[in-house]
């Protein structure tokens, strides 16, 4: 498969970019014409950012899995679609060709059908990184069910909240998941979640860890037994359901500045075109390359650049079950060496953590297959960029710094490997079709170069989120009200003298901890659930490995044990309510919080103190009790 829309030099990029702005509809229609549609669209784009509504390729009929699987079967049926590397390097890896993956997806569609799943139903997927996770995702897409994958690090309560929000009546899970030397009891977590979700009709459980599980009669079935039933039926075909371009493909929950995660909805047509286009162009994928994206499919990066982008491009996608540091910190490099990986796409936090182990784990590993390196999820610092460049890329692999979000579906601002210029710590230039705008606090557009402001996007692209599930007003409010007529990203950004963009981090109350998005309000809600807690305020602070750490100021009146036990209790509460990923790194007990007379917590001050700033805390005269600041400063951890 070759890609007629692959940009191969800087001039072509400039031409493509210009066309994408002058004639966006013509630009995207040309690209979309290279995909398989059951019926061509009637209208390329309809949009309104004031009363938010966006529709791409209206009237078009397709199924994304026909583009990801069926259309490759003729020429590329025997080509590896997924290479799976297990957690334990001693365990045998698996390779699924496009034909095998197709067969398994069809089979699992029949399993879903036999269990009552229909087009439009919401299916929650809570699994480890095994090939069956990709199979479950694709089977949902093939039958038109809306998948909602939940990362394995979320707690029962988080799952229950998401199941309620999406009214998901079906769950697919594993008995457990292997992660490094840990075994995560996924089914048991699901069981806890389902106590609150009696509306769930079926749970399909894959065997992975042989962790003991309780299977509830009538509700829980084993994946393997259900496959056997389909085999007994003679493995019937399952033709892909015909979907409208604008039918929802999936929901993915993400944190915002309010306490409740939002169900970001992506639709089939636009998402397919944009993830494929950005996959092919950002990474400069060449047929035959092995693409290794280290993200989890529980996050958008995994959806777009392990599953849909690569598979729609007929690529070979490597799926890794484990973690970078187990059995040792050379795990990524062993995998690159073993499979002759060509493209490695990971997060700055992983790079920083691996840097900490020195060069020992890199020595002796053959990394010469690598052609392109990528980073995503958070700003990369210069030191990590240089380490990655020198020790992994050996100075000969372009690094693409891809800025994007769950809501954007695919990468938005990034250099294209070896094609457009790169600059350390800069995401550089927008993808064709993306029109970034920097705004000041008052909504004035900052023109020209060498300016910093809030990053907005002024024109829709095919994979922009369509809504937040079940609450369109929330979507309008969250993304389209701060700067009317623009999509507001929540990020701060600098545009340098060349017009290159550098993302500086969130400007709202969202933290980025190890590349995971966590709302401060969510963490506060969880801390406040603890019986001894009166009130809390959570801020981020710079953390060498995680990028940001979670700093919690807590008013505590509990009597159970000493401070250290109280901290552990609070941490456990957060783990229970959200998941281990949201555990505070530091908890400082305080007698009060700096509040204005109207009762608003002045987080700016708390943030500065957490960052280690003691002097310039800004104006504290509007505080109800300025004395509290002194106390907090003195008690800083
Ligand atoms: O703050 C930006 C940061 O991650 C946020 C999006 O998080 P999420 O929806 O979880 O998606 C992460 C993977 C696409 C953004 O608002 N971010 C993402 N990529 C970068 C980044 N910050 C700086 N540089 C990046 N390359």
């Amino acid at each position: 498969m070759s890609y007629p829309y692959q940009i191969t030099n800087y001039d072509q990029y400039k031409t493509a970019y210009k066309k994408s702005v002058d004639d966006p509809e013509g630009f995207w229609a040309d690209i979309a014409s290279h995909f398989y549609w059951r019926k061509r669209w009637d209208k390329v784009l309809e949009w309104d950012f004031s009363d938010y509504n966006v529709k791409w390729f209206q009237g078009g009929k397709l199924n994304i899995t026909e583009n990801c699987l069926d259309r490759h079967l003729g020429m590329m049926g025997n080509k590896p679609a997924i290479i799976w590397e297990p957690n334990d390097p001693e365990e045998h890896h698996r390779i699924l060709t496009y034909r095998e993956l197709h067969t398994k997806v069809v089979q699992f569609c029949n399993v879903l059908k036999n269990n009552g799943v229909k087009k439009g139903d919401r299916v929650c997927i809570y699994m480890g990184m095994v090939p069956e996770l990709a199979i479950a995702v694709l089977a949902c897409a093939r039958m038109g069910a809306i998948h909602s994958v939940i990362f394995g690090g979320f707690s029962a309560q988080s799952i229950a909240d998401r199941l309620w929000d999406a009214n998901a009546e079906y769950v697919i899970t594993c008995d457990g998941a292997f992660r490094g030397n840990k075994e995560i009891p996924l089914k048991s977590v699901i069981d806890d979640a389902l106590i609150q979700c009696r509306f769930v009709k079926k749970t399909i459980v894959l065997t992975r860890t042989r962790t003991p599980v309780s299977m509830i009669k009538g509700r829980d079935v084993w994946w393997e037994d259900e496959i056997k039933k389909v085999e007994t039926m003679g493995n019937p075909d399952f033709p892909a359901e015909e979907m409208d371009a604008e039918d929802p493909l999936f929901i993915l929950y993400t944190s915002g500045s309010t306490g409740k995660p939002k169900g970001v909805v992506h639709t089939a047509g636009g998402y397919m075109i944009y993830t494929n286009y950005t996959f092919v162009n950002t990474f400069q994928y060449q047929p035959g390359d092995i693409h290794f994206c280290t993200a989890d499919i529980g996050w958008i990066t995994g959806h777009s650049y392990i599953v849909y982008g690569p598979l729609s491009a007929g690529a070979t996608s490597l799926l890794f079950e484990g973690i970078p540091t187990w059995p040792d910190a050379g795990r990524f490099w062993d995998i690159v060496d073993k499979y002759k990986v060509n493209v490695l796409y990971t997060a700055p936090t992983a790079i920083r953590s691996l840097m900490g182990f020195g060069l020992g784990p890199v020595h002796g590993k053959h990394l010469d297959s690598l052609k392109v390196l990528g980073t995503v999820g958070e700003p990369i610092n210069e030191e990590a960029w240089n380490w990655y460049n020198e020790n992994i890329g050996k100075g000969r692999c372009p690094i693409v710094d891809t800025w994007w979000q769950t809501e954007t579906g695919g990468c938005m601002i990034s250099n294209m490997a070896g094609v457009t210029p790169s600059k350390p710590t800069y995401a550089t230039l927008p993808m064709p079709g993306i029109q970034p705008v920097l705004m000041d606090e008052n909504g004035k557009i900052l023109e020209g170069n060498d300016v910093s402001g809030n990053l907005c996007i002024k024109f829709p692209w095919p994979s922009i989120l369509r809504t937040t599930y079940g609450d369109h007003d929330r979507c309008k409010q969250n993304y389209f009200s701060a700067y009317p007529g623009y999509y507001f990203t929540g990020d701060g950004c600098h545009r340098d003298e060349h017009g290159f963009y550098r993302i500086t981090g969130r400007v709202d109350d969202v933290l980025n901890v190890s590349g995971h998005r966590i709302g401060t309000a969510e963490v506060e809600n969880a801390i406040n659930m603890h019986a001894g807690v009166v009130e809390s305020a959570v801020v981020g602070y710079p953390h060498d490995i995680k990028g940001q750490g979670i700093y919690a100021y807590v008013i505590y009146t509990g009597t159970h044990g000493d401070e250290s036990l109280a901290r552990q209790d609070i941490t456990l509460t957060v783990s229970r309510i959200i998941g281990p990923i949201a555990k505070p790194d530091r908890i400082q007990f305080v007698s009060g919080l700096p509040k204005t007379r109207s009762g608003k917590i002045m987080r700016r001050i708390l943030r500065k103190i957490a960052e280690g700033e003691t002097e310039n805390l800004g104006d504290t005269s509007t505080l109800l009790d300025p004395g509290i600041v002194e106390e907090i400063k003195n008690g800083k951890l």
Side-chain angles (χ1 to χ4, degrees), residues 163 217 300 331 516 592:
L163 288 171
K217 201 178 290 163
I300 191 68
R331 194 71 168 102
H516 300 153

Side-chain angles (χ1 to χ4, degrees), residues 301 377-379 401-406 491 503 506 512 517:
T301 308
E378 52 178 318
D401 179 348
T402 65
W403 170 81
W404 55 295
Q405 309 178 299
T406 305
D491 279 318
I503 311 302
R506 302 288 303 195
N512 193 328
R517 240 165 102 166

Side-chain angles (χ1 to χ4, degrees), residues 176-384:
F178 293 120
R179 270 179 75 76
N181 58 5
K182 292 204 188 100
E183 237 180 83
I184 323 268
L186 297 179
K187 171 64 164 66
S188 159
V189 179
I190 287 289
D191 287 339
D192 288 346
L194 296 195
I195 293 169
Q196 300 178 44
C197 305
R198 298 292 160 124
F199 52 85
V200 169
K201 293 179 181 156
K202 282 278 159 150
T203 305
I204 302 174
V205 187
L206 178 82
T207 307
R208 173 65 186 127
T209 52
R210 302 204 170 269
T211 309
V213 295
S214 82
M215 296 291 280
I216 303 297
K217 201 178 290 163
R219 188 193 72 188
D220 300 346
V221 294
W222 287 106
W223 176 299
E224 296 78 9
D225 292 348
E226 296 304 297
I227 293 284
K228 277 200 201 101
K229 284 186 202 157
V230 173
E231 284 167 353
T232 317
M233 290 159 62
N235 270 327
D237 191 14
F238 195 101
E241 185 73 33
E242 186 168 285
M243 307 295 286
D244 282 339
E246 279 298 331
D247 277 339
L249 174 65
F250 65 84
I251 306 171
L252 188 57
Y253 284 87
T254 191
S255 297
S257 42
T258 59
K260 193 172 158 251
K262 304 173 288 246
V264 168
V265 175
H266 283 289
T267 56
Y271 177 80
M272 171 179 80
I273 306 297
Y274 195 75
T275 51
N276 176 293
Y277 181 78
T278 50
F279 170 73
V280 162
N281 281 302
T282 308
F283 303 107
Q284 288 291 304
Y285 185 83
Q286 301 300 319
D289 281 353
I290 312 285
H291 175 82
F292 178 19
C293 166
T294 70
D296 192 289
I297 296 178
W299 307 109
I300 191 68
T301 308
H303 282 59
S304 301
Y305 299 115
I306 295 178
V307 182
Y308 289 114
L311 298 181
S312 66
T316 299
S317 185
L318 201 155
L319 200 157
F320 173 42
E321 186 184 37
I323 58 169
T325 49
W326 191 86
D328 61 49
R331 194 71 168 102
F332 278 177
W333 325 129
D334 286 331
I335 295 174
V336 169
D337 191 341
K338 177 171 175 189
Y339 299 104
K340 306 288 164 246
V341 166
N342 305 108
V343 184
L344 174 67
Y345 188 33
T346 193
T349 186
I351 299 169
R352 286 192 299 264
S353 122
L354 294 174
M355 266 168 73
F357 291 88
L359 288 175
V362 186
H363 277 149
K365 312 288 162 71
H366 295 102
L367 304 181
D368 39 326
S369 57
L370 286 172
K371 297 197 287 191
V372 174
L373 302 177
T375 71
V376 60
E378 52 178 318
I380 184 163
N381 48 315
E382 198 140 0
E383 197 192 352

Side-chain angles (χ1 to χ4, degrees), residues 534-537 555 592-603 605-606 620-626 628-629 632:
V534 179
E535 199 179 1
S536 63
I555 306 177
L593 293 167
K595 288 190 180 172
T596 60
R597 289 193 181 84
S598 58
K600 205 167 156 310
I601 298 174
M602 289 193 65
R603 287 163 190 287
I605 295 176
L606 293 175
T620 53
S621 62
T622 56
L623 288 179
L624 193 60
D625 172 15
I628 200 70
V629 175
I632 295 178

Side-chain angles (χ1 to χ4, degrees), residues 116-184:
V117 180
K118 298 178 305 302
K119 180 177 179 176
D121 286 345
R122 275 79 51 220
V123 178
C124 159
I125 303 179
Y126 184 69
M127 300 173 81
M129 283 283 282
V130 286
E132 284 75 12
L133 167 52
I135 292 167
V137 161
L138 291 164
C140 287
R142 191 170 184 84
M143 66 169 347
I146 303 167
H147 58 77
S148 169
V149 184
I150 301 179
F151 175 63
F154 281 111
S155 69
Q157 184 60 48
S158 290
I159 297 167
D161 292 345
R162 286 157 174 75
L163 288 171
W164 269 100
D165 190 76
N167 188 22
E169 293 176 330
Y170 301 92
V171 175
I172 307 171
T173 189
C174 300
D175 49 359
F178 293 120
R179 270 179 75 76
N181 58 5
K182 292 204 188 100
E183 237 180 83
I184 323 268

Side-chain angles (χ1 to χ4, degrees), residues 67-111:
N67 285 274
C68 288
L69 301 171
D70 304 56
R71 72 167 168 157
H72 306 318
L73 296 183
M75 300 286 283
M76 300 195 302
N78 295 326
K79 183 179 166 175
I82 291 179
I83 298 176
W84 177 69
E85 171 68 14
N87 180 58
D88 182 348
E90 302 291 316
E91 188 182 339
H92 218 283
H93 68 271
R94 284 166 65 189
I95 296 180
L96 294 177
T97 64
Y98 272 95
R99 185 159 298 112
E100 287 162 341
L101 183 59
H102 177 265
T103 303
K104 287 188 183 296
V105 169
V106 164
Q107 234 181 7
F108 198 65
C109 282
N110 282 303
V111 167

